[in-house]
Amino acid sequence: MTGLRWGILATGGIAGAFASDLRTAGLGLVAVGSRSQESADAFAARFDIPHAHASYEALVADPDVDIVYVSTPHPMHHVNARLALENGKHVLAEKAFTLNRAEAEDLQALAAERGLLVMEAMWTRYLPHMVRIRELIADGALGEIRAVSADHTQLLPSDPAHRLNALELGGGALLDLGIYPISFIWDILGAPTTIHAVGRLVETGADSEVATVMTHEGGAVSTSLSSSRAAGPNVASIIGTAARIDIDAVWYSPTTFRLVLPDGTVQESYTSEVDGRGMQFQALAAERLVRDGILEGDILPIAESVAIMGTLDEIRAQIGVRYPREEV
């Protein structure tokens, strides 16, 4: 481990979950920044953080901070991550990584120019059960993978003013929920060769449901479903010629899965044993990369995060979602 000193930018719910898991893993959490001193102080007291800053600018200027976790809403990821990079800090930015591909490319270029790590906080990829799934695939346990399916469906607030439904805040099911199955499909099958998407929009113009059917190199197909207005099974499957993997609910968090042969025989069962929510594994990966002097991650390279944003851009174009800042 590098012993990196973490700073957390913003103090919302996901920031609290991340801070808790950093503490669980014994990692160095030294600073928090908020838009108000009161909020920063309360968060610092909750997690025993020595430095509480009343602005994001003060956080990224803190000489005791090596890496910044950006946990603001989607439209702020780009400007907040850029601020940290400009101040010489490595960055772990919440998913979806940015609002669109152009913003992601800018962060990728700036990080490369400054010799810093910038990484998308797609925490699911780093969980132990996902690591084991990739091992099984690499070992050929599934044979030829023919199809992948996953859903992320939740009953979330319908208030038009809520950030999930506000276009100016990057609202919609796709960037909040759909990023999980889309990134998962990329992880297993790689880039899509064709994308077909349909969606349902709410009164604000944000998407409440999005379904995709994509094809991939070699002919494999994938399907995804995301919804912010209804709770579904939240499971995933990887189907191969020699076996399939069924990942139980909630598939994108620490859970169980089974390797099932075509005759129904369960060849392997896996049960996750994880302390906390499991967000510490992405932090440990970031520390390993910095320690080894690697600025392009292996489990989720920044180039792949940029390309995934391109996939989300295409899906949004097909369902008719455009964010206000993209209109200019």
Side-chain angles (χ1 to χ4, degrees):
M1 287 174 53
T2 62
L4 289 182
R5 298 168 297 177
W6 288 83
I8 293 183
L9 190 150
T11 57
I14 195 69
F18 184 72
S20 179
D21 282 350
L22 284 184
R23 288 295 187 222
T24 295
L27 300 185
L29 175 52
V30 301
V32 61
S34 180
R35 290 173 295 181
S36 75
Q37 191 66 59
E38 181 182 11
S39 177
D41 287 342
F43 195 92
R46 181 180 167 195
F47 295 105
D48 192 25
I49 301 172
H51 304 299
H53 299 288
S55 71
Y56 300 154
E57 290 80 7
L59 171 69
V60 300
D62 188 332
D64 289 337
V65 173
D66 301 312
I67 184 167
V68 171
Y69 169 69
V70 174
S71 63
T72 45
H74 311 306
M76 293 76 165
H77 288 177
H78 175 248
V79 66
N80 295 154
R82 185 169 240 287
L83 180 68
L85 291 168
E86 287 172 341
N87 280 268
K89 312 301 186 187
H90 302 288
V91 170
L92 177 66
E94 260 307 321
K95 62 347 169 188
F97 183 54
T98 52
L99 205 59
N100 54 41
R101 179 168 183 150
E103 291 183 350
E105 289 175 334
D106 180 65
L107 294 180
Q108 179 187 27
L110 179 59
E113 174 189 316
R114 299 297 176 91
L116 296 166
L117 175 73
V118 63
M119 190 170 115
E120 181 183 10
M122 177 44 70
W123 62 293
T124 298
R125 289 217 185 182
Y126 302 89
L127 293 173
H129 74 285
M130 288 296 179
V131 173
R132 178 56 184 154
I133 285 170
R134 286 192 292 269
E135 289 174 349
L136 288 169
I137 292 171
D139 289 343
L142 273 67
E144 178 194 354
I145 297 177
R146 305 285 294 183
V148 173
S149 65
D151 81 301
H152 190 174
T153 47
Q154 297 189 39
L155 180 59
L156 299 174
S158 59
D159 178 1
H162 194 282
R163 72 164 189 86
L164 287 164
N165 305 305
L167 279 181
E168 64 272 18
L169 295 178
L174 184 64
L175 259 61
D176 253 277
L177 309 177
I179 178 63
Y180 284 86
I182 296 299
S183 184
F184 173 65
I185 288 165
W186 261 84
D187 191 15
I188 304 304
L189 295 177
T193 52
T194 64
I195 301 170
H196 301 282
V198 294
R200 181 180 183 180
L201 308 186
V202 296
E203 61 273 18
T204 62
D207 51 289
S208 57
E209 280 83 26
V210 181
T212 66
V213 177
M214 301 188 289
T215 58
H216 303 262
E217 185 176 354
V221 299
S222 67
T223 60
S224 77
L225 172 65
S226 56
S227 174
S228 60
R229 297 293 177 92
N234 290 306
V235 295
S237 293
I238 308 168
I239 302 170
T241 53
R244 74 176 191 270
I245 291 175
D246 293 332
I247 314 175
D248 297 318
V250 174
W251 69 266
Y252 51 83
S253 63
T255 188
T256 55
F257 75 78
R258 291 166 307 287
L259 177 67
V260 184
L261 300 181
D263 65 2
T265 301
V266 176
Q267 186 163 340
E268 178 176 326
S269 293
Y270 185 96
T271 300
S272 294
E273 296 180 0
V274 172
D275 292 329
R277 192 167 187 255
M279 299 185 76
Q280 65 269 33
F281 295 104
Q282 61 185 347
L284 289 165
E287 295 217 354
R288 173 178 55 83
L289 291 169
V290 173
R291 178 199 66 203
D292 294 344
I294 301 171
L295 303 180
E296 182 75 11
D298 44 5
I299 291 176
L300 180 54
I302 187 59
E304 187 169 329
S305 291
V306 169
I308 289 171
M309 290 311 307
T311 296
L312 298 183
D313 287 352
E314 175 59 25
I315 292 169
R316 285 196 297 113
Q318 291 189 22
I319 66 175
V321 173
R322 192 171 178 84
Y323 301 119
R325 73 168 61 174
E326 296 175 315
E327 301 292 346
V328 296

